[in-house]
Amino acid sequence: MLTPTVDVERRTFPAMGTTVRLIAPASDDPGRITRAAARVQRVFAREEQRFSRFRADSELSRVNADSGTWARISKPFAALTHRALRAADETDGLFDPTVLPALRAAGYDRDFAGIVDRELADIRRDVKALMIKNATACGAWRDIEIDGDRIRLPEGAELDFGGIAKGWTVDAAMRVVSDLGWAIVDAGGDLRISGHPPVDGLEVGVEDPEEPGTEILRLRLPQGALATTSVRVRSWGAGVHHVIDPRTALPSLTPVVQATVWAPTCTDAEVWSKAAVLGGTPVLDRLSGMLVMETGEILTSFDEARPTSMRKAIA
């Protein structure tokens, strides 16, 4: 949530299961941000077509269908796969791009809107049965092979880029808004600043996981990206949500409810916000971030020595 210190214009559109916002300084040219938003929307449409697991004709779905054999891939697909594998290694497997079978077993077997439309009793019954019967060990990322424009997933393995693809797309959108002076592309709370914002930065609020629409923290960002992972946002039953812990192949049961992380790119912020939910307080020793604990306690490593600084926290 942006609280600007200057006059701004906004444009929004739906993509990747969320609302994407383009925010830029107001201009005498009323069509400038509209044209920029159209360019950003095309970037999101292109990458959603490439990386969506909910589209049978996406490149990701084709690669998953060919697991066990070599499949041709585009350069962007290879680039994001390499980044995802590096992220898995950097986080000691807490970030795992091969959790899809476990995620599906937990009940996330369709677009999220389709999940919340199901009867709660059906969800609980189906999820319990799936988790008992089909919970799958994670870690197949270690056996993925890439050779130029070809990839081979281990038999039965499936990729799910999810949040990292969203962060990757936010980063890609930065390249088409350079004419705005500065801009923020915000995809459901995962955002990045481009260009040269006001010298005192831009104030961004972090949402309270227990009270949507209420801020729990305010940061002043001069640059970079911010991403948040929460076990409350995409949840379809008590203890059942989209954050899979690769160590158990089940929805996370750690004491962390929500993690917000700053990084130079939105791709990096996405990776480390997921790792912070699963890894807990030790992750704060190596990055600028904030954890909201199950107890309601707020822990943060944001400080004046980091690219972002904590403004105020509401416990």
Side-chain angles (χ1 to χ4, degrees):
M1 183 184 301
L2 174 69
T3 303
T5 55
V6 295
D7 290 336
V8 300
E9 294 183 78
R10 294 176 171 86
R11 298 292 185 273
T12 66
F13 59 88
M16 294 187 171
T18 190
T19 298
V20 179
R21 295 176 177 84
L22 173 64
I23 304 167
S27 166
D28 293 336
D29 177 2
R32 187 182 69 151
I33 191 170
T34 299
R35 293 189 296 271
R39 296 193 298 269
V40 171
Q41 190 166 7
R42 287 194 292 271
V43 170
F44 272 83
R46 181 189 68 212
E47 301 309 323
E48 187 168 13
Q49 176 60 48
R50 194 190 316 274
F51 295 119
S52 175
R53 70 178 174 97
F54 302 114
R55 296 188 177 190
D57 61 343
S58 71
E59 187 171 1
L60 179 70
S61 293
R62 176 178 57 78
V63 168
N64 284 341
D66 290 340
S67 68
T69 64
W70 285 95
R72 295 285 179 183
I73 53 175
S74 64
K75 288 183 178 179
F77 195 98
L80 183 55
T81 304
H82 279 297
R83 179 65 190 96
L85 296 180
R86 189 167 77 253
D89 185 61
E90 291 168 349
T91 62
D92 295 323
L94 291 179
F95 175 88
D96 185 340
T98 59
V99 298
L100 181 53
L103 188 59
R104 189 183 294 116
Y108 203 169
D109 57 354
R110 64 197 72 189
D111 185 270
F112 191 73
I115 294 177
V116 298
D117 286 341
R118 296 166 65 187
E119 291 293 332
L120 184 57
D122 292 339
I123 293 173
R124 287 174 174 163
R125 183 188 65 246
D126 294 348
V127 168
K128 183 177 180 180
L130 284 166
M131 290 173 70
I132 291 173
K133 182 179 179 181
N134 297 327
T136 304
C138 303
W141 60 271
R142 295 179 177 85
D143 298 316
I144 292 175
E145 299 175 73
I146 303 178
D147 181 14
D149 64 350
R150 300 191 306 153
I151 188 171
R152 191 188 71 81
L153 306 184
E155 185 72 37
E158 294 178 272
L159 289 167
D160 176 31
F161 288 132
I164 194 174
K166 185 170 64 170
W168 169 275
T169 304
V170 169
D171 291 334
M174 293 293 96
R175 296 191 284 271
V176 302
V177 295
S178 58
D179 62 318
L180 298 180
W182 65 263
I184 288 180
V185 175
D186 177 352
D190 294 346
L191 60 87
R192 182 173 171 183
I193 299 172
S194 73
H196 303 284
V199 292
D200 58 348
L202 298 166
E203 288 193 352
V204 177
V206 178
E207 191 171 71
D208 187 333
E210 307 298 349
E211 297 184 38
T214 302
E215 291 180 8
I216 200 169
L217 186 76
R218 181 164 293 278
L219 305 171
R220 188 176 291 276
L221 301 180
Q223 60 178 323
L226 205 67
T228 296
T229 295
S230 173
V231 303
R232 298 287 192 257
V233 175
R234 292 181 182 265
S235 175
W236 49 97
V240 187
H241 52 76
H242 74 296
V243 184
I244 297 295
D245 189 334
R247 297 166 295 192
T248 63
L250 297 173
S252 168
L253 292 174
T254 72
V256 182
V257 171
Q258 178 172 289
T260 299
V261 168
W262 182 93
T265 69
C266 202
T267 304
D268 291 343
E270 265 285 351
V271 167
W272 284 103
S273 67
K274 177 70 65 64
V277 166
L278 299 173
T281 54
V283 177
L284 293 182
D285 293 335
R286 59 187 300 178
L287 49 77
S288 293
M290 180 192 73
L291 304 181
V292 181
M293 311 303 287
E294 188 74 48
T295 60
E297 184 181 11
I298 300 171
L299 306 175
T300 181
S301 58
F302 288 122
D303 59 52
E304 295 297 335
R306 303 298 181 101
T308 58
S309 60
M310 187 173 67
R311 300 283 291 178
K312 63 180 179 179
I314 304 173

